[in-house]
Amino acid sequence: MKRRNFLEHVGWTGAGIVWTLGATGTLSAAGAQEDRGFSFVQISDSHIGFARPENPDVAGTLARAVAAINALPNQPAFVVHTGDITHLAKAEQFDAARSLLQSLKAPLLALPGEHDAIGSLKGYFASFGRKDAPDGWFSFDQNGIHFVSLVNVFDFELMGKLGRTQLDWLKGDLAAVPGSRPVVVFAHVPLYALYPTWGWTTEDGAEALQMLARFDHVTVLNGHIHQIIEHREGNIRFATAAATAYPQPAPGTAPKPGPLLVPADRLLSVLGYRTLELVPPSDLHSEDHPLA
Amino acid sequence: MIAALPAIALAALLPAAAIVHIKNFTYVPATIRVHAGDRVTFVNDDDEAHTATALDKSFDSDGLGTGDTYQHVFPKPGTYRYFCEMHPYMHGTIVVLPRSSQ
């Protein structure tokens, strides 16, 4: 990663969360990274089944991400996949994705994206569902962090929404959490209006964000956009992850969203995964790692 | 020897067909008129995946990758609105007229 980018993102440290962007080497040189214990990894948008010039080998790039994560010296407590595991929600695509992701050393949490919800969420639930999350959403506490995993993909009844049922659940879930506890939220589609013209927003996301306003440290991690985008609203920090499959145009830079063709020798540099490390007591150190 | 049959006989044997292309996140044409028993083919010309899913769930293409097609025969007259499950702002309409109005 270029030093220019690293410097740009150092600017984020003021709010208490250390945000940096770059390869491990850069950060080690900057003295910002050492073994701090609890960490987790985010990957997103693998689109298994996609086979177009933008990435003719999405299985290969996901496998590359898995290998890189397995090689991390500080193994993450878990890996979260923030959705669009498959391209068309076909059974064989879920099977292939599960087989690739099973080789992760760390436990996996996988959210559905709208591509995993085509027709229904049946295929997703069969391959990646959790017994303790019959509707898909769930929360848990680990190392002093309250984690909330949401489902905001399109559904016939609830298009582009979290929906009343999930919002009511979220309200009840957060009610018992002290405001000083760091909260990390996973969702596929951004919860804020990243670029509504392209549908890059959650219709009732604002209601969820209101519930999160009283917490001192909130980090929302999402996918869907296939590029690294950081954003902040008050105490809430949003980070959109790179895909493992293919990039998309920056908001508004093309007539429509969709797979973006980059020169083959550049593809791995725009795909990646993200590590997040807890810097006690409540800071979260985020770092994006390109696949090459 | 189908080729030897008169054109009128062929028309009676084969359902009429219409094609809806999915291009640039739009159904083209957005509204088509066909007759009961006609077959409509949806072709995804986009790089992005789409569906053609009836609001009343009477038909559903499931996911269409680039170049994929889906066909549906509309047996009953009516107005069928459909959308893309992944991009719900994409909308199209199939108006199915009774056969007698042909």
Side-chain angles (χ1 to χ4, degrees):
Chain A
M1 191 54 58
K2 302 291 176 288
R3 179 165 174 79
R4 182 180 59 81
N5 286 342
F6 173 70
L7 291 175
E8 276 172 12
H9 292 279
V10 164
W12 287 70
T13 54
I17 299 178
V18 181
W19 284 89
T20 51
L21 181 73
T24 308
T26 309
L27 284 159
S28 298
Q33 189 181 44
E34 53 197 60
D35 190 333
R36 289 190 182 89
F38 179 74
S39 68
F40 65 97
V41 165
Q42 180 192 10
I43 54 174
S44 204
D45 296 275
S46 299
H47 288 261
I48 296 302
F50 179 88
R52 300 278 302 158
E54 292 85 356
N55 183 352
D57 184 18
V58 292
T61 48
L62 175 57
R64 197 176 172 106
V66 167
I69 294 163
N70 282 343
L72 288 171
N74 185 19
Q75 272 297 292
F78 60 84
V79 175
V80 59
H81 192 301
T82 46
D84 283 358
I85 308 158
T86 69
H87 193 54
L88 298 173
K90 295 188 188 303
E92 64 271 20
Q93 296 174 353
F94 278 115
D95 288 347
R98 191 173 49 184
S99 146
L100 283 161
L101 291 165
Q102 266 171 352
S103 53
L104 279 168
K105 289 182 194 166
L108 173 76
L109 318 174
L111 286 62
E114 79 283 4
H115 283 253
D116 305 313
I118 296 168
S120 77
L121 280 168
K122 270 186 208 159
Y124 160 78
F125 279 122
S127 288
F128 295 102
R130 294 164 59 105
K131 280 182 189 147
D132 60 349
D135 297 308
W137 51 82
F138 60 95
S139 70
F140 61 98
D141 284 85
Q142 196 160 348
N143 286 68
I145 299 176
H146 187 66
F147 289 94
V148 180
S149 188
L150 300 176
V151 179
N152 62 349
V153 295
F154 308 122
D155 172 282
F156 188 64
E157 300 295 330
L158 307 165
M159 297 199 319
K161 287 184 180 179
L162 293 156
R164 191 73 259 150
T165 309
Q166 187 171 199
L167 284 166
D168 288 345
W169 169 85
L170 179 63
K171 190 176 179 184
D173 178 78
L174 293 176
V177 182
S180 58
R181 188 175 302 170
V183 177
V184 176
V185 179
F186 307 134
H188 176 64
V189 179
L191 285 180
Y192 72 100
L194 193 156
Y195 195 64
T197 310
W198 285 357
W200 289 355
T201 186
T202 300
E203 204 175 308
D204 52 3
E207 195 173 334
L209 298 180
Q210 268 177 358
M211 297 177 197
L212 293 162
R214 73 174 173 90
F215 293 91
D216 298 335
H217 306 273
V218 181
T219 306
V220 181
L221 302 174
N222 64 271
H224 190 56
I225 313 302
H226 297 220
Q227 60 200 287
I228 297 162
I229 295 179
E230 291 156 4
H231 177 72
R232 188 181 165 194
E233 291 181 11
N235 62 323
I236 305 178
R237 200 158 292 246
F238 301 87
T240 299
T244 71
Y246 53 81
Q248 292 203 85
T253 60
K256 298 284 178 184
L260 178 68
L261 188 63
V262 297
D265 61 355
R266 272 203 58 223
L267 179 63
L268 292 176
S269 72
V270 292
L271 308 178
Y273 64 97
R274 168 181 285 155
T275 52
L276 297 109
E277 290 186 356
L278 177 66
V279 182
S282 52
D283 288 349
L284 205 54
H285 172 115
S286 165
E287 183 184 345
D288 285 290
H289 306 258
L291 292 187
Chain B
M1 293 300 285
I2 289 219
L5 289 172
I8 282 177
L10 262 182
L13 282 171
L14 300 173
I19 296 182
V20 176
H21 288 271
I22 309 176
K23 203 164 177 58
N24 283 326
F25 292 67
T26 40
Y27 300 105
V28 183
T31 300
I32 57 165
R33 287 164 198 282
V34 297
H35 292 92
D38 286 358
R39 170 181 297 150
V40 176
T41 302
F42 297 87
V43 184
N44 183 10
D45 296 330
D46 257 352
D47 281 340
E48 178 63 292
H50 296 291
T51 76
T53 305
L55 290 179
D56 67 2
K57 285 282 177 185
S58 60
F59 64 91
D60 188 351
S61 68
D62 281 332
L64 300 174
T66 305
D68 286 352
T69 62
Y70 165 73
Q71 295 192 323
H72 183 73
V73 174
F74 289 85
K76 282 196 259 179
T79 298
Y80 299 86
R81 297 182 198 284
Y82 63 95
F83 74 114
C84 173
E85 279 195 311
M86 285 177 283
H87 313 99
Y89 50 88
M90 293 170 55
H91 284 278
T93 304
I94 313 274
V95 180
V96 181
L97 306 167
R99 283 213 75 81
S100 56
S101 72
Q102 235 172 331

